[in-house]
Amino acid sequence: MSPILTLYELNNLLRDVIEETMPDEYWVKAEIANANEHRGHLYLELVQKDGTANTPIARAQAKCWASTWMPARANFERVTGQRLKTGMEVLLKVYAQYHEAYGFSWIVTDIDPTFTLGDMARRRNEIIQQLKAEGVFEMQKQLTLPTFCQRIAVVSSETAAGYGDFCRQLYDNPKGYVFYTQLFPAIMQGEKVEETVVAALDSIYARIDDFDCVVIIRGGGATSDLSGFDTLQLAENVANFPLPIITGIGHERDESILDMISHTRVKTPTAAAALLVDRLETVGQRLDTWSAHIAMAVRQRLEKENMRVTAAEGKLPAISTLIIERGETILKHLAQNIALSANKCLQMHSGQLEMLKMTLPKATQRCIELHEQHLKLCEQRTEMLNPQRILNLGYSMTTCNGKVVKHAGMMKPGQTIVTRLADGQLTSVVAEN
């Protein structure tokens, strides 16, 4: 039977094996799954993912002691312009260490920032190529800033010095131009940049008709805090936004993807304000120039018209006399024509009157004869319809209370009736019916 070991003895044996079999340092490429600093030390969780399924196929813990981490961090941020964070691909120099109480971990002795810089550049390039493939990379450049760009939606941190500088530069402009600004707060550094800036753009979109353009500004800060402006989601939102977007992120390094995709990029918030003021001043100068041109054109036209009026005044008497003479000639011709037409009309109507004078007696006599015949016919018809004639033929007409009795059923016993005959009338009382 093998000897019984304590856990400490077994772990100590494992440590000896690891130190004897792996005495060297190794350069290892991995992705940071988690990173935490504690008392100046850096504690990392490293992973390697399957390229197709994007699932971890290897994990390990790593530590970088403060004596190594402090200078390594400064060098890393200086070279890459960013802080070491989750999701980064890094190249670390490590050696194996096993501790009886804390287990196995890799101890980091160096970090190669150029590897991460290359990986960052690769990712940036992939995002840029994707935006170009989607056809949105130049969409903001195709928009036009309004001529009077005075209603500004500002995306910035409310407490940022850059926001205050922007407002002072805008409102205290020497020309006294009026601007209206509305702040849409967002976090302008760290991991929340993408989320809060996109939310601010959504809020602006809900009031799209209230603004002429959008300004995204950030004053100062470490360049390592600017990685949030190099994301695909933020770039797509800016590229597709219907208002022109001006960026003044406040850094001197290479342009961020947000800068590339925006309508106009300036370096600082004050430069963004100066751009808007200068643009309005240019518009003002154009208006002054146009006003001067219009005034000059009006003066020239007035002078020209005055000359035409003066020339017309000189010609007016002669023209008036000519017009009067022509009018008098026309009136004479009209008078002669009227006289001739009147004579012709009188002669024509005189002939018609003579003809009427000759035909009127005969026509009148004929009309009288026709009406006499018509009257005789009416008289005969009237005589035929005379009730007395019917009575003379032996018929009678009975009435009751002035109404003609047509049926026996109309009468009741005791009623008085009057019977009219040809030579008189009889009064009777109805006995029965």
Side-chain angles (χ1 to χ4, degrees), residues 104 257 303:
F104 179 84
I257 294 177
E303 292 173 358

mmCIF file with all atom_site columns, all heavy atoms in Angstrom, residues 104 257 303:
data_model
loop_
_atom_site.group_PDB
_atom_site.id
_atom_site.type_symbol
_atom_site.label_atom_id
_atom_site.label_alt_id
_atom_site.label_comp_id
_atom_site.label_asym_id
_atom_site.label_entity_id
_atom_site.label_seq_id
_atom_site.pdbx_PDB_ins_code
_atom_site.Cartn_x
_atom_site.Cartn_y
_atom_site.Cartn_z
_atom_site.occupancy
_atom_site.B_iso_or_equiv
_atom_site.pdbx_formal_charge
_atom_site.auth_seq_id
_atom_site.auth_comp_id
_atom_site.auth_asym_id
_atom_site.auth_atom_id
_atom_site.pdbx_PDB_model_num
ATOM 1  N N   . PHE A 1 104 ? -3.511  26.522  -8.772  1.00 0.00 ? 104 PHE A N   1
ATOM 2  C CA  . PHE A 1 104 ? -2.684  26.847  -9.934  1.00 0.00 ? 104 PHE A CA  1
ATOM 3  C C   . PHE A 1 104 ? -3.106  28.190  -10.543 1.00 0.00 ? 104 PHE A C   1
ATOM 4  O O   . PHE A 1 104 ? -4.282  28.526  -10.593 1.00 0.00 ? 104 PHE A O   1
ATOM 5  C CB  . PHE A 1 104 ? -2.824  25.759  -10.996 1.00 0.00 ? 104 PHE A CB  1
ATOM 6  C CG  . PHE A 1 104 ? -2.014  26.032  -12.227 1.00 0.00 ? 104 PHE A CG  1
ATOM 7  C CD1 . PHE A 1 104 ? -0.671  25.685  -12.296 1.00 0.00 ? 104 PHE A CD1 1
ATOM 8  C CD2 . PHE A 1 104 ? -2.594  26.655  -13.331 1.00 0.00 ? 104 PHE A CD2 1
ATOM 9  C CE1 . PHE A 1 104 ? 0.074   25.943  -13.429 1.00 0.00 ? 104 PHE A CE1 1
ATOM 10 C CE2 . PHE A 1 104 ? -1.854  26.914  -14.471 1.00 0.00 ? 104 PHE A CE2 1
ATOM 11 C CZ  . PHE A 1 104 ? -0.512  26.559  -14.519 1.00 0.00 ? 104 PHE A CZ  1
ATOM 12 N N   . ILE A 1 257 ? -14.218 55.701  -34.965 1.00 0.00 ? 257 ILE A N   1
ATOM 13 C CA  . ILE A 1 257 ? -15.189 55.348  -35.992 1.00 0.00 ? 257 ILE A CA  1
ATOM 14 C C   . ILE A 1 257 ? -16.357 56.333  -35.972 1.00 0.00 ? 257 ILE A C   1
ATOM 15 O O   . ILE A 1 257 ? -16.902 56.691  -37.018 1.00 0.00 ? 257 ILE A O   1
ATOM 16 C CB  . ILE A 1 257 ? -15.688 53.902  -35.780 1.00 0.00 ? 257 ILE A CB  1
ATOM 17 C CG1 . ILE A 1 257 ? -14.523 52.922  -36.007 1.00 0.00 ? 257 ILE A CG1 1
ATOM 18 C CG2 . ILE A 1 257 ? -16.842 53.578  -36.710 1.00 0.00 ? 257 ILE A CG2 1
ATOM 19 C CD1 . ILE A 1 257 ? -14.880 51.484  -35.756 1.00 0.00 ? 257 ILE A CD1 1
ATOM 20 N N   . GLU A 1 303 ? -33.649 104.168 -61.432 1.00 0.00 ? 303 GLU A N   1
ATOM 21 C CA  . GLU A 1 303 ? -33.066 105.186 -62.304 1.00 0.00 ? 303 GLU A CA  1
ATOM 22 C C   . GLU A 1 303 ? -33.486 104.966 -63.758 1.00 0.00 ? 303 GLU A C   1
ATOM 23 O O   . GLU A 1 303 ? -33.828 105.921 -64.472 1.00 0.00 ? 303 GLU A O   1
ATOM 24 C CB  . GLU A 1 303 ? -31.546 105.159 -62.175 1.00 0.00 ? 303 GLU A CB  1
ATOM 25 C CG  . GLU A 1 303 ? -31.040 105.628 -60.812 1.00 0.00 ? 303 GLU A CG  1
ATOM 26 C CD  . GLU A 1 303 ? -29.532 105.436 -60.662 1.00 0.00 ? 303 GLU A CD  1
ATOM 27 O OE1 . GLU A 1 303 ? -28.916 104.906 -61.609 1.00 0.00 ? 303 GLU A OE1 1
ATOM 28 O OE2 . GLU A 1 303 ? -28.989 105.816 -59.611 1.00 0.00 ? 303 GLU A OE2 1
#
